[in-house]
Amino acid sequence: MRPEVRHVFHPPSHTFSYVVWDSATRRAAIIDPVLDYDPASGRSGTETVQQLVDIVEAEGLTVDWLLETHAHADHMMAIPFLKARFDARVAIGEGIARVQQRFVRLFNLGSDFPSDGRQFDHLFADGEHFAVGDIPAQVIHTPGHTSDHVSYVIGDALFVGDTLFLPDAGTARCDFPAGSATDLYRSIHRLFEALPDSQRVFVLHDYGTEARGPANETTIGAEREGNIHVGAGTREADFVALREARDATLPMPTLILSAVQVNIRAGEFPPAEGNGLRYLKIPLDEFRAHWRP
């Protein structure tokens, strides 16, 4: 079955968010919505996520699911904005609980911070089935970029998050806490083995190249044959060596310290302090210890 798919692009983080729906029932899901955030001023905004709302309203859709592929390090979730507008369930992979537990000490969240994923309405298990309208959907645990990462198969569409980039861009970094190039290789090959060449693939990030601007759609067949990091029969050991060498040269994402402490709360900002203001914490001279555990 073929869902309708529309995207919104967030240039600062090179992120694609999606509205996906069943054209027969008009039931929909929104995947990986982005909150605008300026780290220099500490100001947040909703211009980008409002574009997703505009699509929903223009198409006359009912949103049942707000889906996240993982706890992003490069943008903040816009879940609270959407939750206030739609009677939809917020869902992520069950591995989010381990991510929360990993960051409790770093951000000094306290013993009363819930680190069992309860901030989300539903925690998906690997292989779990659900539906978008009458279109069957399934969750596939695809760790590697992060340990909690999942991909969503909705009909003939695969929302792969940061598991794969477009074929000419390769794959995402694996040096986040509990990330693993070995796991990423095996996750990608799990998708290659489970899905047909014709399966549409929608990526979360694309940075463009000298030859083209940002793009977001490919196929499993194109990835299997032409992905520059993992396609055309690339061996696991070669991929791991390439990925780890490349990751060693990459700087930390600009928003990682801000984004993680918001995203493990399902996009909510930390609670207000005694003066009524909310703050994001920056742990000084410490994060590198958590960067490559």
Side-chain angles (χ1 to χ4, degrees):
M1 301 182 70
R2 187 179 180 90
E4 299 291 333
V5 180
R6 292 274 298 278
H7 69 264
V8 168
F9 185 59
H10 181 245
S13 63
H14 299 270
T15 301
F16 289 94
S17 302
Y18 296 96
V19 183
V20 51
W21 71 92
D22 174 7
S23 59
T25 65
R26 316 305 290 180
R27 314 296 292 202
I30 294 176
I31 303 176
D32 289 332
V34 178
L35 184 73
D36 299 315
Y37 178 71
D38 175 24
S41 65
R43 294 183 65 87
S44 63
T46 57
E47 180 179 348
T48 299
V49 69
Q50 180 62 46
Q51 295 176 55
L52 297 171
V53 175
D54 293 345
I55 293 170
V56 169
E57 293 178 346
E59 296 290 341
L61 306 177
T62 299
V63 180
D64 293 322
W65 291 102
L66 303 174
L67 304 175
E68 294 287 348
T69 54
H70 62 295
H72 314 278
D74 42 27
H75 70 261
M76 296 179 183
M77 298 174 180
I79 290 295
F81 179 81
L82 295 173
K83 185 74 170 174
R85 284 153 181 77
F86 305 123
D87 183 20
R89 302 180 74 189
V90 180
I92 197 168
E94 61 186 2
I96 188 62
R98 293 187 294 277
V99 174
Q100 291 172 330
Q101 293 157 16
R102 191 172 298 119
F103 286 104
V104 163
R105 189 191 72 82
L106 181 66
F107 294 116
N108 195 29
L109 300 179
S111 59
D112 59 344
F113 178 83
S115 55
D116 57 5
R118 72 181 68 176
Q119 297 87 345
F120 298 83
D121 297 320
H122 186 77
L123 303 182
F124 281 121
D126 181 31
E128 187 171 343
H129 292 267
F130 65 110
V132 175
D134 291 334
I135 298 178
Q138 185 178 16
V139 178
I140 300 178
H141 184 213
T142 47
H145 173 66
T146 62
S147 61
D148 65 320
H149 198 291
V150 296
S151 298
Y152 296 105
V153 181
I154 303 175
D156 78 335
L158 170 67
F159 298 88
V160 76
D162 280 325
T163 300
L164 281 165
F165 289 161
L166 292 185
D168 61 356
T171 57
R173 66 194 301 166
C174 298
D175 60 336
F176 294 152
S180 165
T182 298
D183 286 348
L184 184 62
Y185 180 91
R186 294 174 183 178
S187 292
I188 290 169
H189 276 266
R190 184 181 180 192
L191 297 176
F192 285 173
E193 293 163 9
L195 299 170
D197 283 353
S198 60
Q199 188 84 28
R200 293 184 291 163
V201 176
F202 295 91
V203 301
L204 179 59
H205 294 291
D206 187 64
Y207 304 89
T209 67
E210 292 183 359
R212 62 167 178 82
N216 67 308
E217 183 177 351
T218 181
T219 65
I220 282 290
E223 293 283 8
R224 182 187 289 114
E225 293 303 317
N227 186 285
I228 60 171
H229 290 170
V230 74
T234 301
R235 297 183 307 166
E236 180 178 307
D238 293 335
F239 171 78
V240 171
L242 178 152
R243 186 69 265 168
E244 291 183 348
R246 182 175 176 83
D247 289 349
T249 70
L250 299 177
M252 289 189 294
T254 300
L255 290 184
I256 185 167
L257 290 170
S258 301
V260 169
Q261 58 188 299
V262 171
N263 292 341
I264 61 175
R265 293 179 166 94
E268 295 285 355
F269 288 125
E273 298 192 6
N275 61 356
L277 301 179
R278 296 169 295 178
Y279 295 89
L280 296 174
K281 298 178 178 179
I282 303 298
L284 300 176
D285 300 323
E286 179 66 19
F287 189 60
R288 279 287 175 181
H290 293 255
W291 185 242
R292 292 184 176 92

